[in-house]
Amino acid sequence: MGLVDQLQRICGAEFVITHEHQLRTYESDGLLQYAAMPKAAVLPGSAEEVHRVVKACHEAGVPTVARGAGSGLSGGALPHEDGVLIVLSRLRRILDVDLENQRVVVEPGVTNLEVGAAVGPSHYYPPDPSSQVVCSIGGNVAENSGGAHCFKYGFTTNYVTGLEVVLPDGDVVQLGGGKMVDAPGYDLLGAFVGSEGTLGVATKITLRVIPAPPAWRTLVAFYEHMDEAGRTVSAIVSAGLIPGAMEIMDKLSIEAAEAATRAGYPTDAGAALVVELDGPESECEAAFDEIVDICRQNDATGIRIAEDEAERALIWKARKAAFAAMGRLAPNYYVQDSVIPRTQLPQVLTRIEELAREYDVRVANVFHAGDGNLHPLVLYDAATPGEAERAEECAGEIVKACVDLGGSITGEHGVGVDKKRYMPSMFDEPDLAAFQMLRCAFDPAGLANPGKLMPTPRLCGEVPGPYRQHPIEAAGLAERF
Ligand SMILES: Cc1cc2nc3c(=O)[nH]c(=O)nc-3n(C[C@H](O)[C@H](O)[C@H](O)COP(=O)(O)OP(=O)(O)OC[C@H]3O[C@@H](n4cnc5c(N)ncnc54)[C@H](O)[C@@H]3O)c2cc1C
């Protein structure tokens, strides 16, 4: 029996897609610059079906790629042309809400926002990607996703306490302590979170949730220049204050977000800084007054304070819509995701301006300022010859500038297919070899999301020797990523 027949027997014929037109739905994730068609896309309806699908693919020697909502921005869920795409969107059950133990157990296709809704209003799940309406918890785990509130609360990895995982050979294992905080043995849970689908498929996820903060105070301060907003962030941190979130938007981002949301941001402002405090009411009030003073001392031209929940939601609406709103400024954009030590913010923003001039493109900046996690959006028009290439090169130079300033090639969007070429700029060959050994321990056959994350895939068991340049590389005819 062929593999497709087997998949149909496991999941039902209507959940195995092989027709080219239907497969197009899955050809890209959120990074549309990459597209590929799998041989088949399969939508299992249970963890048991995922296990049988992966086992069948493994026995047939066929690569698999897991896909949640497909909102990833590094090509992580890009299909393998000879492989099977395992779409987890039907695994949407919330299995257990255990607020006494501050835990919720969910299937991987549940969205980030649904987790919050399931535990609220008394409890709160802090990691909040701007894509939270659509992105799946399985994708969040695979990417170790962050969001505006991670400055204070930490990333997905700080909230996953247990996982059920289908390994690349189809075996099912439990990683972590389930509802307990920790478990004896190697921290395989820590290794899995952020592994971008290369170590297996998560089919059940246990998350820690926390009591919802009793009070919130939110403001947005406006400035003439970005460096004033950056200075405010540094001054807030230096004062020992820890807001839940600190987000900066530049002039272009404000323009786009305002056009999309009508949130009332002044479009002549050079920068906007959203600051949100949370915690006990009295603590919030005292710290909030101090933050307002710090904004003024750093030349804020205006400060808008949310007086009620509706105004708070509006302030956030503009920030969270910033990516999607870029379509109002240019037909295409390339989202970069890099990190820098927060103190390097002025240097990197100046460098981004220089690069934008050099490559003759516009770059909008919107970022998690507390974490130093930048999201430069390089705008272009794919219909104009050469512009897409210039945008991509400019985005690449921005990554390099961040690494040169002591930062990282990715903050929260992952390496995927898009950034694997930059891995050697952060890691030496022995570091990469250690990653590869871990990967091979989970997936000796190399069938789980191959071609992603690692720059120089080699077969498991192959001994990494010193790097030797191939003659065609030396001749400048090929480049190794
Ligand atoms: C407008 C917009 C805003 C965004 N804002 C943020 C943000 O603020 N913060 C942030 O961190 N990200 C952000 N993202 C990126 C993206 O939403 C996150 O990376 C998200 O976690 C991806 O989830 P997904 O379900 O869409 O995963 P997919 O894109 O489907 O997959 C992502 C990766 O996870 C793997 N994967 C998916 N499910 C599983 C599973 N069950 N088991 C194992 N591997 C799996 C895939 O193989 C792939 O490698 C944004 C994206 C967009 C489009």
Side-chain angles (χ1 to χ4, degrees):
M1 196 191 336
L3 179 61
V4 169
D5 292 334
Q6 277 190 61
L7 299 178
Q8 287 179 341
R9 288 186 91 166
I10 296 167
C11 299
E14 75 265 45
F15 296 117
V16 179
I17 298 167
T18 51
H19 194 283
E20 191 194 326
H21 290 168
Q22 289 174 302
L23 284 176
R24 287 234 171 267
T25 307
Y26 303 108
E27 67 180 358
S28 299
D29 64 0
L31 188 62
L32 302 177
Q33 282 82 354
Y34 298 90
M37 297 275 268
K39 285 278 180 272
V42 51
L43 287 82
S46 66
E48 170 63 17
E49 287 183 9
V50 175
H51 148 69
R52 291 171 62 200
V53 165
V54 174
K55 204 165 186 56
C57 291
H58 181 260
E59 281 166 8
V62 169
T64 53
V65 176
R67 178 180 167 112
S71 72
L73 290 171
S74 56
L78 182 74
H80 191 289
E81 283 178 346
D82 298 320
V84 168
L85 189 72
I86 303 176
V87 184
L88 295 149
S89 52
R90 291 179 62 221
L91 272 73
R92 294 209 51 157
R93 285 178 308 154
I94 293 183
L95 301 170
D96 183 15
V97 179
D98 179 0
L99 295 183
E100 275 183 41
N101 284 307
Q102 300 185 350
R103 295 292 183 274
V104 56
V105 185
V106 298
E107 290 188 328
V110 170
T111 66
N112 176 291
L113 206 61
E114 284 164 349
V115 172
V119 300
S122 63
H123 285 68
Y124 170 53
Y125 178 64
D128 58 342
S130 301
S131 52
Q132 65 188 152
V133 184
V134 292
C135 67
S136 75
I137 282 294
N140 289 182
V141 169
E143 299 288 2
N144 187 21
S145 294
H149 290 85
C150 292
F151 171 59
K152 175 170 181 181
Y153 290 105
F155 287 70
T156 303
T157 192
N158 303 109
Y159 293 89
V160 182
T161 61
L163 288 175
E164 176 186 273
V165 170
V166 178
L167 293 176
D169 64 0
D171 280 356
V172 179
V173 294
Q174 310 294 327
L175 303 182
K179 288 186 179 178
M180 292 178 300
V181 189
D182 198 10
Y186 295 114
D187 183 12
L188 299 180
L189 183 71
F192 192 91
V193 178
S195 61
E196 304 191 18
T198 62
L199 303 185
V201 183
T203 46
K204 198 192 281 181
I205 300 166
T206 306
L207 299 167
R208 184 168 71 87
V209 294
I210 59 173
W216 310 82
R217 291 306 313 267
T218 309
L219 66 75
V220 52
F222 301 103
Y223 299 85
E224 226 173 293
H225 305 110
M226 286 286 276
D227 61 331
E228 292 152 357
R231 269 197 278 121
T232 307
V233 170
S234 296
I236 290 172
V237 177
S238 306
L241 300 166
I242 307 180
M246 285 194 284
E247 301 281 305
I248 292 184
M249 294 162 71
D250 73 356
K251 187 168 174 46
L252 277 179
S253 311
I254 295 170
E255 262 175 55
E258 183 55 24
T261 63
R262 302 277 167 228
Y265 283 35
T267 46
D268 59 347
L273 168 66
V274 177
V275 184
E276 182 160 279
L277 278 168
D278 57 27
E281 183 110 34
S282 53
E283 223 174 81
C284 253
E285 282 305 321
F288 198 70
D289 290 345
E290 207 178 325
I291 285 175
V292 170
D293 284 345
I294 294 174
C295 293
R296 292 210 175 101
Q297 283 155 18
N298 285 281
D299 304 319
T301 51
I303 298 176
R304 181 167 143 200
I305 295 171
E307 296 300 345
D308 52 29
E309 189 51 41
E311 206 172 353
R312 174 180 172 228
L314 201 57
I315 289 175
W316 276 114
K317 191 174 174 192
R319 163 58 189 94
K320 298 224 170 190
F323 280 19
M326 284 302 147
R328 291 168 185 264
L329 299 186
N332 309 91
Y333 67 86
Y334 195 101
V335 188
Q336 201 42 283
D337 160 54
S338 306
V339 187
I340 43 146
R342 206 176 28 236
T343 48
Q344 302 286 0
L345 205 52
Q347 288 87 326
V348 86
L349 291 175
T350 307
R351 181 72 188 126
I352 290 173
E353 271 176 31
E354 286 167 10
L355 287 167
R357 275 196 300 276
E358 201 176 307
Y359 286 90
D360 193 20
V361 286
R362 287 186 299 165
V363 181
N365 284 293
V366 42
F367 51 93
H368 307 311
D371 302 320
N373 184 189
L374 305 177
H375 291 317
L377 296 129
V378 186
L379 311 183
Y380 66 96
D381 181 353
T384 307
E387 222 172 90
E389 290 75 12
R390 284 208 312 279
E392 197 181 338
E393 276 178 44
C394 179
E397 288 302 318
I398 292 173
V399 176
K400 287 185 195 148
C402 291
V403 173
D404 289 345
L405 289 166
S408 160
I409 61 172
T410 170
E412 52 185 20
H413 296 170
V415 175
V417 76
D418 190 43
K419 294 236 173 120
K420 59 182 184 168
R421 75 193 102 153
Y422 303 120
M423 287 287 272
S425 66
M426 283 196 72
F427 299 104
D428 290 333
E429 182 60 30
D431 308 333
L432 294 170
F435 287 156
Q436 182 70 4
M437 275 161 62
L438 177 81
R439 186 174 187 165
C440 290
F442 277 78
D443 182 21
L447 292 176
N449 215 1
K452 313 285 171 61
L453 188 62
M454 294 294 288
T456 48
R458 51 169 93 78
L459 298 174
C460 294
E462 201 179 314
V463 181
Y467 171 73
R468 284 191 194 86
Q469 201 178 35
H470 190 278
I472 62 168
E473 285 179 274
L477 298 172
E479 199 176 339
R480 193 184 293 222
F481 291 135

